[in-house]
Amino acid sequence: MSEGKLYLTGLKPTGELHFGNYIGALRQACIASQENKTIIFVADLHALNAVRDAKTVRENSYKAAAVIMSLGFNMDNVLLFRQSDIDSVYKLTELLMNVTPKGLMDRAHSYKATVDKNTAAGLDVDAGVNMGLYTYPILMAADILLYDTDIVPVGADQKQHVEFARDIAGHFNAIYGNVFKLPEPQIIENAGILPGLDGRKMSKSYDNVIPLMAPESELKKKIMRIVTDSKTPEEPKDPETSAIFQIYRHFATMDEIATFAEKFRAGGMGYGTAKTILFEKVNSVLKPMRERYEHLMANPQEIDAAFAKGAEIARKIADRKIAKVKKAMLG
Ligand code: TYM
């Protein structure tokens, strides 16, 4: 691996990886990997508070790994593994519990969102909340702190979690000395919250995603389903409020982006035409990746080999860190 900053990011296998995951996190990690050590893992333990079927978790984990392995990461710099293969992460989670204030968990966006939903529905505030969901940020802090991560490329929805990891590391270091590095989130401008088909944040829970490796015909169908207003082709349109443009800008060149925005503003380009341009651009970028993805899905032994190789190295780094943490806490 090359020297420099250590980048780390994780992806939860609760469904197929989508454009939001790619634009918000994966692509930045892929760029980082060209010059820097980069850890990227399938966060299968994080799926357990919601997905109750082992086969689904396992299949989604393979799909996630196949996506990662298709995007052009510099694999010489990358450690790829499945989170559950690293025993030290369970241990560090348990140890970090002791320095994590409960109030921090109460303030976590995902927990608060559930509480708000329950309150609005007249239910008990904690209805449907298990400890996996409640302590989710501690597991995520363990992921990040275990490897002395410098930078965590993520979408905006994960910013608070990375800040919590930093806070937890700070609490720990204040008590036990300088054991953990303080990580920083990296969120790309205009890419922190990619909109989905209905204009809300693209998210599996809103059922509005475009899967990154959807076959061509499905990709086209999804793009054609992006919700628009009722403006006629002749009417001027604001690119900044259009999900079509918000997605296009991440795949096109600077000149193409400027031309597209200009055509929208001037009027004369209808939404149907805009969607066709978006589909063609996105498809041209994703086609070679999709071919590699399909090859890997047909040859899962290649994914098994990659998981095994990554886990072996990651385990050594993680075990060394756990030994230091135990020494600091237990003598
Ligand atoms: P997850 O699996 O929900 O999402 C993976 C990454 O994709 C980003 N993302 C988006 N970015 C922009 N626009 C969107 N619409 C969009 N939707 C998702 C997320 O911000 C995330 O970066 N808890 C994490 C997984 C995780 C992790 C970690 C990440 C576990 N341990 C340690 C970083 C470091 C999660 O559920 O992400």
Side-chain angles (χ1 to χ4, degrees):
M1 281 203 178
S2 62
E3 292 306 315
K5 299 253 183 222
L6 176 66
Y7 287 71
L8 171 144
T9 202
L11 300 126
K12 197 168 53 175
T14 42
E16 286 185 49
L17 298 190
H18 56 73
F19 276 44
N21 302 135
Y22 178 56
I23 297 301
L26 274 167
R27 193 161 61 172
Q28 323 180 40
C30 182
I31 292 167
S33 80
Q34 305 308 320
E35 301 282 339
N36 301 276
K37 286 185 280 181
T38 304
I39 293 181
I40 178 151
F41 62 93
V42 180
D44 54 351
L45 295 173
H46 275 108
L48 297 182
N49 71 69
V51 186
R52 302 306 198 190
D53 173 42
K55 191 164 166 272
T56 305
V57 176
R58 197 177 163 78
E59 281 174 5
N60 286 341
S61 298
Y62 274 85
K63 286 184 187 170
V67 171
I68 294 163
M69 291 166 75
S70 306
L71 297 183
F73 278 85
N74 176 358
M75 293 311 277
D76 290 341
N77 281 340
V78 166
L79 260 188
L80 165 69
F81 54 86
R82 197 168 26 195
Q83 184 189 28
S84 62
D85 286 338
I86 312 299
D87 285 353
S88 291
V89 82
Y90 308 78
K91 296 179 190 169
L92 187 55
T93 303
E94 177 65 28
L95 294 170
L96 291 178
M97 297 270 178
N98 301 291
V99 296
T100 305
K102 174 176 175 287
L104 207 59
M105 299 301 99
D106 290 333
R107 288 200 296 280
H109 295 323
S110 49
Y111 171 63
K112 264 173 59 184
T114 309
V115 167
D116 290 348
K117 224 157 88 192
N118 284 339
T119 308
L123 298 169
D124 183 277
V125 287
D126 283 330
V129 176
N130 56 51
M131 290 308 282
L133 172 69
Y134 188 61
T135 61
Y136 187 103
I138 310 179
L139 175 59
M140 190 155 153
D143 288 328
I144 296 170
L145 302 179
L146 201 47
Y147 305 97
D148 292 329
T149 303
D150 293 293
I151 297 171
V152 188
V154 280
D157 62 335
Q158 296 298 320
K159 181 168 181 262
Q160 188 198 42
H161 286 150
V162 182
E163 287 167 353
F164 279 7
R166 196 181 164 87
D167 287 350
I168 293 169
H171 283 301
F172 189 100
N173 288 353
I175 303 166
Y176 295 110
N178 212 5
V179 174
F180 291 120
K181 235 184 202 180
L182 304 186
E184 277 177 39
Q186 178 179 285
I187 297 164
I188 299 292
E189 209 191 326
N190 291 327
I193 308 175
L194 192 80
L197 298 179
D198 58 0
R200 290 187 294 172
K201 179 195 147 197
M202 190 179 288
S203 167
K204 286 164 265 193
S205 41
Y206 294 151
D207 195 19
N208 65 356
V209 307
I210 311 177
L212 195 55
M213 295 299 166
E216 199 168 302
S217 59
E218 188 192 333
L219 179 66
K220 189 164 195 176
K221 239 191 254 160
K222 292 269 183 197
I223 287 177
M224 291 301 166
R225 268 184 45 208
I226 295 174
V227 174
T228 56
D229 57 29
S230 54
K231 286 202 174 81
T232 62
E234 291 69 37
E235 280 180 84
K237 301 166 188 73
D238 178 8
E240 295 304 322
T241 59
S242 161
I244 306 171
F245 180 72
Q246 295 307 319
I247 299 174
Y248 183 74
R249 65 155 36 134
H250 294 293
F251 289 90
T253 64
M254 297 297 261
D255 282 352
E256 288 168 336
I257 297 167
T259 308
F260 193 100
E262 187 41 44
K263 277 194 188 158
F264 246 178
R265 284 199 195 94
M269 179 166 73
Y271 287 122
T273 308
K275 287 176 181 176
T276 303
I277 296 172
L278 172 63
F279 164 71
E280 277 162 10
K281 174 57 38 187
V282 162
N283 193 44
S284 70
V285 174
L286 294 180
K287 200 168 183 210
M289 299 175 181
R290 198 189 297 132
E291 281 162 12
R292 170 116 181 97
Y293 172 80
E294 279 160 9
H295 166 85
L296 287 162
M297 289 307 291
N299 293 277
Q301 72 282 2
E302 291 185 30
I303 301 174
D304 282 327
F307 273 153
K309 186 172 156 216
E312 195 188 333
I313 302 169
R315 247 181 241 126
K316 286 193 184 124
I317 304 170
D319 290 355
R320 273 202 300 275
K321 191 74 190 178
I322 271 294
K324 280 193 193 142
V325 177
K326 282 175 82 175
K327 179 109 184 87
M329 294 182 92
L330 296 156

